[in-house]
Amino acid sequence: CIRPDQVVPAVLEFITVKLGEKFVTPPPFDLAGSYGDSNPISPLIFILSPGSDPGTALFKFASEKGKEVSSISLGQGQGPKAEKLMDAAMANGGW
């Protein structure tokens, strides 16, 4: 009997043993490279997973580029405010 909760850890262990750690460890996020690949039609959108927070790196990168970042945490009726921030950013090229 295969336990569904053990499939992913077992596969990761198998790949690590047979091929090496580099095949299961994701590379660090390259914000500068991703920014270079983006454009007004293909912007950067961060979809976060538990424990991830690109905020510090993003604010530092924006500062280096001479940009201000507008941010908002969604929830509790923040959707309309977020839409206004996106509309303003589209109109003036903001972040």
Side-chain angles (χ1 to χ4, degrees):
C1 181
I2 297 176
R3 288 182 46 191
D5 63 320
Q6 293 299 313
V7 172
V8 171
V11 169
L12 290 173
E13 177 67 20
F14 178 81
I15 293 171
T16 300
V17 169
K18 296 294 184 180
L19 300 175
E21 184 74 29
K22 70 179 183 176
F23 288 93
V24 296
T25 304
F29 178 63
D30 178 15
L31 182 56
S34 295
Y35 175 76
D37 291 340
S38 70
N39 61 56
I41 296 172
S42 299
L44 295 179
I45 297 175
F46 295 94
I47 301 173
L48 306 180
S49 59
S52 68
D53 181 11
T56 303
L58 178 62
F59 286 110
K60 180 180 177 205
F61 184 73
S63 176
E64 292 169 2
K65 294 289 184 183
K67 296 282 191 174
E68 283 188 38
V69 175
S70 298
S71 67
I72 189 168
S73 296
L74 294 178
Q76 300 277 329
Q78 297 298 311
K81 292 179 184 177
E83 287 181 29
K84 286 180 184 174
L85 283 174
M86 288 189 292
D87 289 340
M90 286 189 302
N92 65 26
W95 286 21

